[in-house]
Amino acid sequence: MTLETISENRSFAGTQGVYRHRSQSTGTDMTFGLYLPEAAQFGRVPVLWYLSGLTCTHENAMTKAAAQQWCDEAGIAIIFPDTSPRGEDVADDEAYDLGKGAGFYVNATQVPWKPNFQMWQYIVHELPELVSDNFAIDRDAMGITGHSMGGHGALTIAMTHPDRYRSVSAFAPIANPTQSDWGRKQLSAYLGDDEAAWRAHDATLLMTEHGYPGEVLIDQGSSDQFLDLLKPEALAHAMMARRQPGQFRMQPGYDHSYFFVQSFMADHVMWHAERLL
C-alpha cells in the first residue's frame, strides 16, 4: 500500500509525521498523524492510539493535546487517526454531529453511509497493519485512548478486542450513547433502527456485560458543558457494579476543551507506558 509523506517535523527528540494513504476500508484517501519517539531509532516501540472527537481531523489532538513530550520521555509512539472518511463523493450531513468528522468508530450498514463509513474496520484492522509495516511500531504492545466521541471509540474497541489492546483510557467519553442524543441519532443513521445492533457500541453496556481484563482510567471534567450528553454517571455506576479495576476521576472545574485534555495527558501517557513497556 502506497504511503505518502505529507510532513515530518522534529519534536522532543522524536519525529511528528503526517501521512496519507488510500484506504481499502473507507474507499477514500485517509490522513493520520504519527509521533515516533527517539527510542524508535533503535527498535520497535509500543504505540498509543488516540481517537479524536466530533468535528476533529487528525490534526486537532496532534497540535493541541501536548502528548509528544510525554510520549518521547516514555518511549512510546502515538497515532492520531482521522475521525471519518472525507472527499467530495463521501456522504455528509448539515449537522456537525453526523457525517464527515463524526464517524463514531462504527462500520455503517445503512445507506448512504455504508460505502465509506467503515471506521471500526479502519482503526482496528487496516491502519495498525499499515503502520507496523512501515514504521518501528510493536503491534503486540498497543494501548488506546480518546476524547469524547473518541473516548467512546477507545472504550468500545478495547472492551471488544482486549487481546489487541493492553491498556485503555478515556477523556470525557460519550459513555452511554444508546441513551443519549449523542448516540441515538448517529447509531440509528449508521446502523439502522434495530437497537440490538447498537449495544456493541455502548461503553456502559459493554462494561456491564464484559468489562475489561485490565485497569481502566477515565477522566471527566466536572464543569463539562456536555455532561448531560456524555452521561458519565452511567459508566461510573457500571464500573462500580462490576467492580471493574481502575479509576474514574471527576476533575473539578474542567470543561470539555483541549485545555482539559492537556492537563491530564501526562497522566494518561504514563498510565499506558506502565502497561505497555
Side-chain angles (χ1 to χ4, degrees):
M1 187 178 295
T2 302
L3 190 67
E4 177 187 0
T5 300
I6 305 301
S7 63
E8 289 183 333
N9 298 97
R10 187 75 164 167
S11 176
F12 295 104
T15 301
Q16 177 61 65
V18 177
Y19 308 95
R20 181 186 296 129
H21 70 106
R22 187 71 179 177
S23 168
Q24 296 177 349
S25 302
T26 68
T28 65
D29 288 343
M30 295 294 290
T31 303
F32 66 93
L34 167 62
Y35 179 77
L36 288 172
E38 184 180 22
Q41 300 176 26
F42 309 103
R44 291 189 176 270
V45 295
V47 59
L48 176 60
W49 292 82
Y50 182 100
L51 306 186
S52 292
L54 290 167
T55 76
C56 290
T57 69
H58 71 281
E59 188 174 19
N60 293 73
M62 186 181 77
T63 59
K64 295 179 181 180
Q68 288 85 350
Q69 177 181 0
W70 309 114
C71 286
D72 191 67
E73 289 188 12
I76 65 175
I78 186 167
I79 297 176
F80 307 100
D82 203 345
T83 55
S84 75
R86 300 181 190 273
E88 292 183 2
D89 297 330
V90 174
D92 199 10
D93 190 90
E94 293 181 356
Y96 74 94
D97 57 356
L98 186 66
K100 295 177 186 177
F104 243 74
Y105 305 104
V106 302
N107 288 337
T109 60
Q110 307 299 303
V111 293
W113 314 106
K114 182 178 179 179
N116 305 116
F117 283 74
Q118 303 294 313
M119 289 302 295
W120 182 284
Q121 175 69 22
Y122 177 70
I123 295 295
V124 175
H125 300 288
E126 182 179 0
L127 192 53
E129 181 175 348
L130 176 69
V131 295
S132 66
D133 285 348
N134 288 274
F135 302 98
I137 298 298
D138 184 358
R139 285 187 66 185
D140 293 326
M142 298 199 306
I144 191 166
T145 188
H147 174 231
S148 194
M149 179 184 72
H152 139 81
L155 291 170
T156 57
I157 287 171
M159 283 190 278
T160 303
H161 296 288
D163 55 324
R164 290 175 177 262
Y165 303 94
R166 286 166 42 183
S167 58
V168 62
S169 71
F171 300 85
I174 299 175
N176 194 194
T178 62
Q179 303 301 315
S180 169
D181 288 341
W182 270 0
R184 296 188 65 84
K185 172 183 177 179
Q186 295 84 358
L187 295 175
S188 62
Y190 295 140
L191 303 179
D193 294 331
D194 182 3
E195 296 190 18
W198 305 358
R199 297 183 66 84
H201 300 284
D202 187 305
T204 295
L205 298 181
L206 290 175
M207 180 60 67
T208 300
E209 296 168 3
H210 306 295
Y212 180 73
E215 296 177 285
V216 176
L217 173 62
I218 311 289
D219 273 312
Q220 171 65 63
S222 68
S223 297
D224 193 314
Q225 59 270 45
F226 302 116
L227 280 174
D228 290 342
L229 292 167
L230 300 171
K231 298 190 177 297
E233 65 281 359
L235 180 58
H237 291 159
M239 289 177 66
M240 289 297 294
R242 188 173 186 82
R243 299 178 181 176
Q244 169 68 47
Q247 300 179 40
F248 194 112
R249 309 191 302 190
M250 186 65 76
Q251 301 291 1
Y254 287 90
D255 60 16
H256 200 68
S257 70
Y258 266 99
F259 296 108
F260 158 66
V261 174
Q262 286 180 16
S263 299
F264 300 100
M265 179 55 71
D267 288 359
H268 283 247
V269 170
M270 296 309 169
W271 169 276
H272 289 276
E274 289 173 3
R275 290 155 179 79
L276 295 176
L277 291 170

